Amino acid sequence: MLGRLNHVAIAVPDLEAASAVYRDTLGARVSQLQMLPEHGVTVVFIDTGNSKIELLEPLGENSPIAAFLDRNPAGGIHHICYEVEDIRAARDRLVAAGARVLGDGQPKTGAHGKPVLFLHPKDFLGTLVELEQR
Ligand code: CO
């Protein structure tokens, strides 16, 4: 069921400053800013060849990463994203195994225009897991 690692997402308090760290210090190519109001974040992507890094900054009042940044004011790894072939089949299998899907359990369109779901970190070794349909 589990496919390749699609990205690691890092929540940051200041996306411009974080982008500069990756661009200027690490020498990475950083994408344009993308605002995703339905997800409550602004993102940039860094293509590392075999995977991607996403830097996330809160957008709007009820950003899902606001509480995380309250606990981690300097930023930190927020979630990891794995690809799956069929997101609804993956969800049904995980729910049958007792895992909790966040929200209403229906896939939403993610930052790459593909359906995504989030799984409860307490069911996955303390790590928030995103699934993205390939
Ligand atoms: Co993500």
Side-chain angles (χ1 to χ4, degrees):
M1 178 179 84
L2 198 66
R4 69 187 282 275
L5 178 67
N6 184 277
H7 61 268
V8 175
I10 302 174
V12 301
D14 180 339
L15 195 51
E16 285 295 343
S19 296
V21 170
Y22 267 83
R23 187 180 51 240
D24 304 334
T25 310
L26 290 171
R29 205 172 310 154
V30 178
S31 78
Q32 297 281 75
L33 291 184
Q34 200 178 325
M35 289 164 94
L36 303 171
E38 70 278 18
H39 292 278
V41 292
T42 304
V43 301
V44 297
F45 304 107
I46 294 130
D47 193 341
T48 59
N50 62 343
S51 194
K52 291 188 285 283
I53 302 295
E54 285 183 12
L55 304 179
L56 310 172
E57 179 187 68
L59 175 65
E61 288 296 297
N62 298 308
S63 175
I65 64 170
F68 178 89
L69 281 169
D70 284 344
R71 293 191 303 273
N72 305 277
I77 293 179
H78 182 261
H79 66 266
I80 56 178
C81 176
Y82 296 112
E83 296 177 359
V84 293
E85 195 86 53
D86 177 338
I87 199 160
R88 287 184 170 78
R91 174 199 60 197
D92 293 347
R93 174 173 161 168
L94 289 161
V95 168
R100 288 166 284 180
V101 177
L102 299 188
D104 64 6
Q106 296 306 314
K108 281 195 203 174
T109 302
H112 312 109
K114 298 190 174 157
V116 300
L117 280 175
F118 286 89
L119 306 175
H120 201 296
K122 288 197 171 139
D123 296 333
F124 294 96
L125 319 178
T127 305
L128 178 60
V129 173
E130 179 180 16
L131 298 179
E132 179 176 297
Q133 186 155 290
R134 192 162 4 174

